[in-house]
Each structure stands twice: as structure tokens, then as C-alpha cells.
Amino acid sequence: MSSLALTLYVLIWPVMALSVMVLLCVSLYRDIRKAKKEGKELV
């Protein structure tokens, strides 16, 4: 395996983890806004 391929393989995991975390945070933010708008509690 070339060093470039190995580097890309190692760097793809943090990018994937960051993508999932951003997706979760955006969804949570939308849910919080929706709950406030409807006057409900999130929990």
C-alpha cells in the first residue's frame, strides 16, 4: 500500500466522524427550535 493511500485511509475516519457529529448537532438544533416554536419541552 502506498503512503498516499494509507494517509487517505487514516484521514477519512475523522472526516466521517465529523460529518456524523455535524448531522446530529444540526438535527438537535432544529428539534430545539421546533419545540420552542410549539411551546413544548424537548425532554
Side-chain angles (χ1 to χ4, degrees):
M1 189 181 270
S2 71
S3 61
L4 177 63
L6 185 60
T7 301
L8 290 176
Y9 178 76
V10 169
L11 291 178
I12 197 79
W13 295 110
V15 171
M16 288 174 57
L18 180 64
S19 301
V20 170
M21 195 162 78
V22 166
L23 177 67
L24 289 173
C25 288
V26 168
S27 297
L28 178 64
Y29 177 71
R30 287 181 180 170
D31 286 345
I32 290 171
R33 279 193 1 201
K34 185 178 177 185
K36 277 188 178 182
K37 187 176 181 181
E38 294 176 356
K40 297 180 181 178
E41 289 187 18
L42 198 59
V43 177

